[in-house]
Amino acid sequence: MMTKYFIGIDGGGTRCRARLEDAHGKLLGQGEGGAANIMRNPAQATTSIVDACTRAVAASTLPVQLKEITVGAGLAGANIPSACHAFSNWQHPFDSLSVLSDLHAACLGAHDGQDGAVIVCGTGSSATRCVNGEFIDIGGHGFLVGDIASGAWLGLKAVQHTLLALDGLIPRDPLCEAVCATFDVQDDSALIQKVSAFEAKDYAVLAPAMVTLNTDGDAVARSLFDEGSAYLRRIAHHLLDNSNLPLCLIGGLSDTYKPWYDESVRARIQPCKSSPEQGAIAFAKQSIKQGAQQL
Amino acid sequence: MMTKYFIGIDGGGTRCRARLEDAHGKLLGQGEGGAANIMRNPAQATTSIVDACTRAVAASTLPVQLKEITVGAGLAGANIPSACHAFSNWQHPFDSLSVLSDLHAACLGAHDGQDGAVIVCGTGSSATRCVNGEFIDIGGHGFLVGDIASGAWLGLKAVQHTLLALDGLIPRDPLCEAVCATFDVQDDSALIQKVSAFEAKDYAVLAPAMVTLNTDGDAVARSLFDEGSAYLRRIAHHLLDNSNLPLCLIGGLSDTYKPWYDESVRARIQPCKSSPEQGAIAFAKQSIKQGAQQL
């Protein structure tokens, strides 16, 4: 049976987006839901996915039912085999559901399903390359053990730096002042209390101020971006060396880090051709064509 | 009214210990309870404290009731004013309760109530100096923003290092092998899953293997202890400079870091004179003598 409707999901640690298309790729409606990380909270992920899809359908004002729709879902945590396996038991309401990681969906979207590499650096960081449909991932391990160079990583470093300054172990400086101003705190105990329940996204709130400080020539901010960029450069060479793959940079910190890449890497950078949601739809279509098992 | 019985509490993030004494400091019984961090979980802290005290009384086999006992409690989180204030509403079952931070109790115990400084480095890290009853704290901000040089900090660094190696960005090395062996994992996704719900104490499990690697001359382990020791050296000078205060080192990593301190600091190091529980009792007695408000 030829499915008339497709939804692509881009599901991350804070929200998920759904894009409803017809068989020709025409956008019919879009919707958003909550977090969709199937390792951290699979129950919440199912709710968020259904919410986002329901809203995308409602936005289309078409008489489409979820059970008619072929869904491709790029989901955070889908790179963890056991999380993916556990999630496959979900009795979803769609015609079919093909799951891949949010990173792979982004890569497929960015390169329109062709071979290529992506480095994502926003709240988190991760990277992958796709050659002949085979992915090799780097990073994407999540805060706090991974996500080096990301907004969350930068923000945590800034808080740690600020605590040294508030303790009198190093001088107070513009980064310390920016952290105290952002969180409206004056001393270390107020700062500790403020961050006591922080998640990655809460630390990442500091990133824009740090980008500004770096642009203004602040040495401490600069040293943190230097440290982050060393990781991203290492990733870029690991992804691209001995290939002629194009590279897409994705995420809110991509432009900031771009000057730090070597010229040979910068020459490969291209704009994204389409979105992660579109990448997820392409994956679902490919899965059906290949007769792969859908959920 | 002269109280006949005293209990000193040493309450930390994983457990709390109670020491029951008579008015002459004679040990009558000891007991343990669960975690007692009044910032993270005040309700649990009250349960843990009562548990530990009840067990100390039971161990004494004396017909003592909690309401007869003067309690001094050194509690994690008591350095956060708002946490301490919230905790003061507790309708405790004791004759009186005097609260100070676990760090201050350790310092009072280590120096028998005299002026001195302590650097604690075990699962966490913190430091304080006491001069004429006035404390100045450094660090003690807790994992993950603080606790630099601690077992939790070392373990997190080891996991981050291992993920780089498992990603192929750096060579696998003895530290990577030690982390994989400790957690019985072979690849990055298994390691990520293993640490996904880790707390400070879970990361700190790696510290003994890292101490061994350092002793055996491993360069990567050595570089992490170098980084940690730079923080501890900075703290030591901040605590001791322009004074002749003695210094006690407390916690499981104290001996490991000892050679990294400057000779001028090492010359000040003394063994602890008594325990944090005894320090907490001394604080309670002092509070009563000064007519300070007890809870």
Side-chain angles (χ1 to χ4, degrees):
Chain A
M1 184 187 92
M2 182 68 185
T3 311
K4 278 175 64 183
Y5 299 107
F6 297 86
I7 282 182
I9 300 276
D10 179 29
T14 50
R15 66 168 168 248
C16 84
R17 293 195 182 90
R19 173 191 170 92
L20 176 66
E21 286 184 0
D22 67 14
H24 308 290
K26 188 187 160 197
L27 174 63
L28 301 174
Q30 296 183 92
E32 271 199 24
N37 184 316
I38 64 170
M39 186 180 85
R40 300 232 170 120
N41 195 336
Q44 181 189 38
T46 61
T47 303
S48 300
I49 291 167
V50 172
D51 283 352
C53 291
T54 304
R55 285 168 192 156
V57 168
S60 77
T61 70
L62 291 168
V64 186
Q65 296 195 301
L66 294 185
K67 67 181 177 192
E68 301 173 63
I69 303 174
T70 295
V71 177
L75 301 174
N79 52 320
I80 306 296
S82 59
C84 215
H85 181 73
F87 190 71
S88 69
N89 293 320
W90 180 29
Q91 301 295 314
H92 64 75
F94 311 113
D95 178 48
S96 72
L97 174 63
S98 302
V99 172
L100 73 169
S101 75
D102 53 343
L103 178 62
H104 293 181
C107 187
L108 288 176
H111 298 287
D112 253 351
Q114 303 301 304
D115 291 354
V118 292
I119 298 177
V120 182
C121 192
T123 302
S125 71
S126 57
T128 194
R129 58 182 278 180
C130 180
V131 176
N132 297 324
E134 296 280 328
F135 290 95
I136 296 176
D137 295 350
I138 304 182
H141 300 129
F143 192 71
L144 105 120
V145 292
D147 282 2
I148 300 169
S150 72
W153 180 89
L154 287 166
L156 174 62
K157 293 262 175 188
V159 170
Q160 291 171 331
H161 173 85
T162 301
L163 286 170
L164 294 181
L166 296 177
D167 254 355
L169 294 174
I170 57 174
R172 289 181 75 128
D173 62 8
L175 180 56
C176 168
E177 302 304 338
V179 170
C180 290
T182 302
F183 297 139
D184 193 23
V185 296
Q186 295 304 320
D187 59 32
D188 59 341
S189 64
L191 180 55
I192 291 302
Q193 222 185 342
K194 184 84 189 176
V195 305
S196 63
F198 263 25
E199 297 173 8
K201 66 177 171 13
D202 304 307
Y203 285 108
V205 163
L206 291 167
M210 297 173 75
V211 170
T212 302
L213 280 171
N214 174 61
T215 305
D216 294 347
D218 181 77
V220 176
R222 171 86 191 193
S223 72
L224 295 177
F225 282 102
D226 278 341
E227 191 182 339
S229 71
Y231 175 71
L232 297 178
R233 275 198 304 278
R234 209 188 274 265
I235 283 185
H237 286 291
H238 197 80
L239 287 174
L240 300 180
D241 283 358
N242 308 314
S243 82
N244 51 15
L245 294 173
L247 171 67
C248 290
L249 302 181
I250 300 176
L253 288 164
S254 292
D255 285 344
T256 302
Y257 278 115
K258 200 186 279 184
W260 267 278
Y261 288 103
D262 299 327
E263 178 50 38
S264 63
V265 170
R266 288 208 303 275
R268 306 274 194 97
I269 297 174
Q270 298 184 354
C272 292
K273 291 190 171 121
S274 56
S275 69
E277 296 91 315
Q278 290 167 300
I281 289 175
F283 177 75
K285 288 181 173 174
Q286 191 66 24
S287 301
I288 287 170
K289 208 159 110 185
Q290 292 175 343
Q293 194 196 344
Q294 287 89 46
L295 303 184
Chain B
M1 183 187 92
M2 182 67 183
T3 310
K4 277 174 67 184
Y5 298 107
F6 297 86
I7 282 181
I9 300 275
D10 179 28
T14 50
R15 66 167 168 249
C16 84
R17 293 194 183 90
R19 174 191 169 94
L20 175 66
E21 286 184 358
D22 67 14
H24 308 289
K26 189 187 160 198
L27 174 63
L28 301 173
Q30 296 183 92
E32 271 199 25
N37 184 316
I38 64 171
M39 185 179 86
R40 300 232 170 122
N41 195 336
Q44 179 189 40
T46 61
T47 303
S48 300
I49 291 166
V50 173
D51 283 353
C53 291
T54 304
R55 285 167 193 156
V57 169
S60 76
T61 70
L62 291 168
V64 187
Q65 296 194 303
L66 295 184
K67 67 181 178 192
E68 299 172 65
I69 304 174
T70 294
V71 177
L75 301 174
N79 51 319
I80 307 296
S82 59
C84 216
H85 181 74
F87 191 71
S88 70
N89 292 321
W90 179 29
Q91 301 295 314
H92 64 75
F94 312 113
D95 179 47
S96 72
L97 174 63
S98 302
V99 172
L100 73 170
S101 75
D102 53 343
L103 178 61
H104 292 181
C107 187
L108 288 176
H111 298 287
D112 253 352
Q114 302 301 304
D115 291 355
V118 292
I119 298 177
V120 181
C121 191
T123 301
S125 71
S126 58
T128 194
R129 59 182 278 181
C130 181
V131 176
N132 296 324
E134 295 280 329
F135 290 95
I136 296 177
D137 294 351
I138 303 182
H141 300 130
F143 192 71
L144 93 127
V145 292
D147 282 5
I148 301 170
S150 72
W153 179 89
L154 287 166
L156 174 61
K157 292 262 176 187
V159 169
Q160 291 171 330
H161 173 85
T162 301
L163 286 171
L164 295 181
L166 295 177
D167 254 353
L169 295 173
I170 57 173
R172 289 181 74 127
D173 62 7
L175 180 57
C176 168
E177 303 303 340
V179 170
C180 289
T182 302
F183 296 140
D184 193 23
V185 295
Q186 295 303 320
D187 58 33
D188 59 342
S189 65
L191 180 55
I192 291 303
Q193 221 185 345
K194 184 83 190 177
V195 306
S196 62
F198 264 26
E199 297 174 8
K201 66 177 174 6
D202 304 307
Y203 286 107
V205 163
L206 291 167
M210 298 173 76
V211 170
T212 302
L213 281 171
N214 175 61
T215 306
D216 294 348
D218 181 78
V220 176
R222 172 84 191 195
S223 73
L224 295 176
F225 283 102
D226 277 343
E227 192 182 340
S229 71
Y231 175 72
L232 296 179
R233 275 198 304 279
R234 209 189 274 265
I235 283 185
H237 286 290
H238 197 81
L239 287 174
L240 300 180
D241 282 358
N242 308 314
S243 82
N244 51 14
L245 293 173
L247 172 66
C248 291
L249 302 182
I250 299 176
L253 288 164
S254 292
D255 285 345
T256 301
Y257 279 115
K258 200 186 281 184
W260 266 278
Y261 288 103
D262 300 326
E263 177 51 37
S264 63
V265 170
R266 288 208 304 276
R268 305 275 194 97
I269 296 174
Q270 297 184 353
C272 292
K273 291 190 171 124
S274 56
S275 69
E277 296 92 314
Q278 291 168 299
I281 290 175
F283 178 76
K285 288 180 173 174
Q286 191 67 24
S287 300
I288 287 171
K289 209 159 110 187
Q290 293 175 342
Q293 194 196 347
Q294 288 90 45
L295 304 184

